Amino acid sequence: MAVHRKRFRVEDIVGGELPILDVTEEAIPMHSEIMAELRAIRAQMAKGTAPLSGSAAMAAIDASTERELSDARTMLETYRAQIEQCEKLKVELDLIHDAIDRTKREIATLHGKSFDGGEMAKVNGELGAVVGGTEQATQQILEAAESIDQAASAMAKVQSADQQKRLADDIQERVISIFEACNFQDLTGQRISKVMGTMKFIEQHINAMMEIWGGVDAIKSHVVPQADTRSEDEKLLNGPKLAGDIGHASQDDIDALFD
C-alpha cells in the first residue's frame, strides 16, 4: 500500500511540491523474514561444529600443548647437537691454526737466520775455505816430502861432511814446513764447526716443524718413494766410508781375497 508523507511547513512557505516516492512492501524486508534467515544460518553453523564439553576442550588443549613441547624439545636437542659439533670443529680449527702459526714462526726463523743470502754465502765461503786450505796444505806437504826424499838420496851419495850437513839442514827445514802445513787441520776444524752449527740450527727447527705435524712417523707416511736410477757403476761410488757404515768392504775382506 502507499505511504502518506507528512507535508512540512517549509514546503508551504516555498510553495513548491516535492515528488512523493512510493515505497512498496517488497523494498523493505520484513523483520520476521530477517530473523528466520539468521536462525537458519545459526542452525547450519551448529550442525557443522558440535560444541565440545569443558573436559574435552581441556584435553584438546593439553594434547596440543604437549605436541608443541615435544617439538620444542626435539628442536632444542637438534640445536644442542649442532652446537657441540661446532665447538668440536672450533677446537680442531684452533689446533690447525696454532700448528700453522708455529710452523710459520719456525720458517721465519730459518729464513731470517739461516736461509737468507748472507748466511748461506757465509756457509759456502767457509766450506770453500776448507777445501782451499786442505788443497794448499796437501800440496805443501807433498812438495816437502819430495824435497826430503831428494835430500836423503843425495846425502847417501856425498862424502863431504859440509854437504851432508847442508842436506840435513834442508831436510829439517822441510820437516818444519810439513808441521806448518798440518796446522790447516785446526783452521779447517773451526770452519767446519761453524758450518755444523748452522746445520744443527736448521735441523732443530726442521725437527720442531715435524713435531708440530705429528713427528717423523707422520711425515714418513707422506714421503713419495723414489726410484734409484743410477747405473751399476754409479751405485758403487759411495765415497769414503764412515765409522759404523754397512755395505762397505773392509781391509780384512780385501786381504782375505789373497789368502
Side-chain angles (χ1 to χ4, degrees):
M1 67 180 179
V3 178
H4 296 284
R5 187 173 63 85
K6 179 180 178 182
R7 185 178 181 84
F8 293 94
R9 189 163 56 90
V10 66
E11 294 176 350
D12 294 334
I13 294 173
V14 175
E17 293 290 338
L18 294 176
I20 299 174
L21 299 176
D22 292 335
V23 180
T24 60
E25 292 180 354
E26 290 77 13
I28 301 175
M30 298 300 292
H31 177 69
S32 60
E33 294 177 357
I34 294 174
M35 295 304 295
E37 293 293 336
L38 290 176
R39 283 193 295 272
I41 294 172
R42 186 179 298 171
Q44 292 178 357
M45 293 176 64
K47 291 179 181 179
T49 56
L52 297 174
S53 62
S55 60
M58 291 300 297
I61 294 173
D62 292 341
S64 177
T65 303
E66 187 65 26
R67 286 195 302 271
E68 292 178 357
L69 288 175
S70 178
D71 294 340
R73 291 192 190 98
T74 303
M75 186 178 298
L76 183 61
E77 291 297 331
T78 302
Y79 288 159
R80 185 178 289 112
Q82 292 177 353
I83 291 173
E84 290 178 356
Q85 293 296 327
C86 290
E87 289 177 351
K88 292 180 181 178
L89 179 61
K90 183 180 182 301
V91 171
E92 297 296 332
L93 291 176
D94 288 341
L95 291 175
I96 294 174
H97 178 272
D98 181 64
I100 293 174
D101 186 61
R102 291 165 59 191
T103 304
K104 289 170 64 177
R105 289 199 298 268
E106 296 293 339
I107 293 175
T109 303
L110 287 174
H111 184 271
K113 295 185 178 181
S114 298
F115 289 157
D116 61 341
E119 189 68 21
M120 285 294 99
K122 184 177 179 181
V123 169
N124 292 331
E126 294 290 349
L127 292 176
V130 168
V131 174
T134 304
E135 182 180 1
Q136 182 180 358
T138 303
Q139 184 68 26
Q140 184 176 347
I141 292 172
L142 291 175
E143 290 178 356
E146 184 178 1
S147 298
I148 291 172
D149 182 65
Q150 293 175 358
S153 298
M155 185 181 293
K157 296 178 181 179
V158 298
Q159 299 296 328
S160 173
D162 293 337
Q163 291 180 349
Q164 290 180 353
K165 185 177 183 304
R166 285 197 299 271
L167 291 173
D169 291 339
D170 185 58
I171 291 173
Q172 187 176 8
E173 183 179 354
R174 297 300 180 181
V175 170
I176 294 174
S177 176
I178 291 175
F179 288 151
E180 291 176 350
C182 288
N183 290 331
F184 81 96
Q185 189 273 339
D186 183 45
L187 297 177
T188 299
Q190 295 179 17
R191 295 184 188 279
I192 293 179
S193 296
K194 293 179 182 179
V195 175
M196 290 179 63
T198 303
M199 294 297 105
K200 287 181 179 180
F201 178 82
I202 296 173
E203 182 182 7
Q204 289 175 357
H205 286 277
I206 291 177
N207 289 334
M209 285 188 285
M210 293 171 65
E211 290 296 330
I212 291 172
W213 295 105
V216 179
D217 295 334
I219 300 298
K220 285 183 179 179
S221 61
H222 298 279
V223 175
V224 179
Q226 297 181 355
D228 191 355
T229 58
R230 296 179 299 172
S231 63
E232 294 299 327
D233 292 338
E234 290 176 345
K235 291 180 181 179
L236 297 175
L237 301 176
N238 295 317
K241 174 187 174 183
L242 294 175
D245 284 352
I246 60 176
H248 295 272
S250 64
Q251 186 63 42
D252 294 336
D253 296 332
I254 297 174
D255 293 340
L257 296 175
F258 299 96
D259 292 343

